[in-house]
Amino acid sequence: MNLHKTGQKFFGKLLEKTGKDLKQSDSKQDAKSFLLEKSKHSAVAALFSLMVFWLFFEDIFLGLVGSAAVFCIAFFLGVYLLHLKKALKAAKIEKDLPFFLMSLSVAVNVKMPLLDAIESIAEKEKNELSKEM
């Protein structure tokens, strides 16, 4: 019973975090379909590795353990790559932030309303930060 609750808690958190990461990386895919797709890719990798283990080692137990390890590695690598994509986008936004703030400061100093200044700067610039604005 406790193992079932622990698994539900883990996958609930994974689903929630993946949903946030997908939203922040501008993906149109929902979290359930993303995780299902990664599971399918991992299962294919695991089946392929099972055949390779059987071919080279001729040991069923080693093949099952190895393919389970390949499945886990492939699945969590796919989820981690999404996290890296989100982090890359954040780094691009952080790179453009000083220039945006400098332009915003100039616009506010010439008595332009704040929202108009933000809108004007976002329309002029063609970078990740202006897309977010």
Side-chain angles (χ1 to χ4, degrees):
M1 183 77 173
N2 288 337
L3 185 61
H4 180 69
K5 286 183 180 180
T6 305
Q8 281 183 330
K9 190 175 182 180
F10 172 76
F11 285 111
K13 285 183 179 182
L14 180 64
L15 194 63
E16 182 182 330
K17 181 170 178 7
T18 303
K20 286 179 184 178
D21 287 350
L22 284 167
K23 186 176 180 182
Q24 291 173 347
S25 65
D26 292 335
S27 179
K28 304 297 182 210
Q29 198 172 20
D30 66 314
K32 283 184 181 179
S33 64
F34 176 81
L35 292 175
L36 184 62
E37 179 183 319
K38 294 304 169 193
S39 296
K40 289 177 183 177
H41 293 164
S42 301
V44 169
L47 287 174
F48 180 74
S49 69
L50 182 62
M51 289 188 303
V52 169
F53 275 110
W54 277 346
L55 183 65
F56 287 110
F57 299 112
E58 296 178 359
D59 185 9
I60 187 85
F61 181 74
L62 182 62
L64 291 174
V65 170
S67 64
V70 167
F71 178 85
C72 292
I73 290 168
F75 180 77
F76 287 109
L77 183 65
V79 173
Y80 184 69
L81 288 177
L82 172 66
H83 177 73
L84 287 180
K85 182 179 175 184
K86 182 189 82 164
L88 179 64
K89 182 181 176 189
K92 287 180 183 178
I93 288 174
E94 287 176 9
K95 182 186 82 173
D96 298 328
L97 192 59
F99 303 109
F100 175 80
L101 292 175
M102 196 170 20
S103 299
L104 184 63
S105 172
V106 169
V108 170
N109 283 336
V110 296
K111 307 292 185 213
M112 183 181 254
L114 182 64
L115 292 177
D116 292 341
I118 291 172
E119 192 174 289
S120 172
I121 295 167
E123 287 175 359
K124 281 191 285 184
E125 300 294 323
K126 301 295 181 209
N127 53 32
E128 286 293 323
L129 182 59
S130 65
K131 290 177 188 174
E132 287 295 315
M133 292 293 175

